[in-house]
Amino acid sequence: MGAEADLLTAAAWLHDIGYSPALVDTDSHALDGARYPRDVHRADDTIARLVAHHTCAEYEAAERGLLDVLNSEFDKERPELVEALTYCDMTTSPDGLPVEAEARLLEIHSRYGPEHLVSRSITKATPCITAAVHAAQAALDAGS
């Protein structure tokens, strides 16, 4: 990721900060989480954009009726950066252990249950998520 490695690392650390009860405003953890580095810390816009759009967050935003808000507040970041963050998110378990993306998707479904808004959005986002993970893996393989 070159010069953007530090920004990607920061976004990886922050991507789920919107789950913090102190930050919940819209119930979209991606949107609420992206506002925090932007509004509170005046962080680099790249970090906020990555948090806002990580792991195909637009699908959950659409389910919540917040897609226009997400897209009006945060432009999309370069695809290779979003893919790299999605790869990090989807190949790491909630406990921080390495996991296959397919197992991570199953874990999310089992945690929320089939009728939950998050499960519905993850189902719709699965092609986007798997494409991002595969693209990032291909980039990793090409770089090694």
Side-chain angles (χ1 to χ4, degrees):
M1 303 281 43
E4 293 167 314
D6 287 343
L7 296 174
L8 180 59
T9 301
W13 280 103
L14 292 171
H15 78 279
D16 279 346
I17 198 166
Y19 285 119
S20 169
L23 301 182
V24 173
D25 179 43
T26 67
D27 285 327
S28 167
H29 81 282
L31 179 57
D32 295 340
R35 288 173 171 170
Y36 179 72
R38 180 194 67 191
D39 298 346
V40 175
H41 293 283
R42 307 288 186 234
D44 187 289
D45 288 342
T46 300
I47 295 170
R49 288 191 300 263
L50 285 169
V51 171
H53 292 284
H54 79 276
T55 314
C56 306
E58 58 270 11
Y59 288 88
E60 184 176 333
E63 284 283 322
R64 294 185 183 281
L66 295 169
L67 184 58
D68 290 342
V69 174
L70 179 74
N71 287 331
S72 69
E73 288 192 37
F74 300 97
D75 292 334
K76 292 190 177 183
E77 190 48 67
R78 288 194 357 258
E80 61 271 19
L81 291 175
V82 176
E83 290 163 356
L85 181 55
T86 299
Y87 176 87
C88 293
D89 186 19
M90 297 308 297
T91 61
T92 306
S93 76
D95 297 326
L97 300 173
V99 65
E100 295 293 323
E102 293 77 16
R104 180 80 164 97
L105 288 165
L106 289 172
E107 179 276 320
I108 294 167
H109 285 292
S110 70
R111 186 167 13 121
Y112 286 96
E115 301 305 316
H116 195 278
L117 179 142
V118 170
S119 288
R120 290 194 313 268
S121 63
I122 285 292
T123 296
K124 291 175 183 175
T126 293
C128 171
I129 292 168
T130 55
V133 168
H134 290 128
Q137 183 64 59
L140 282 171
D141 292 345
S144 44

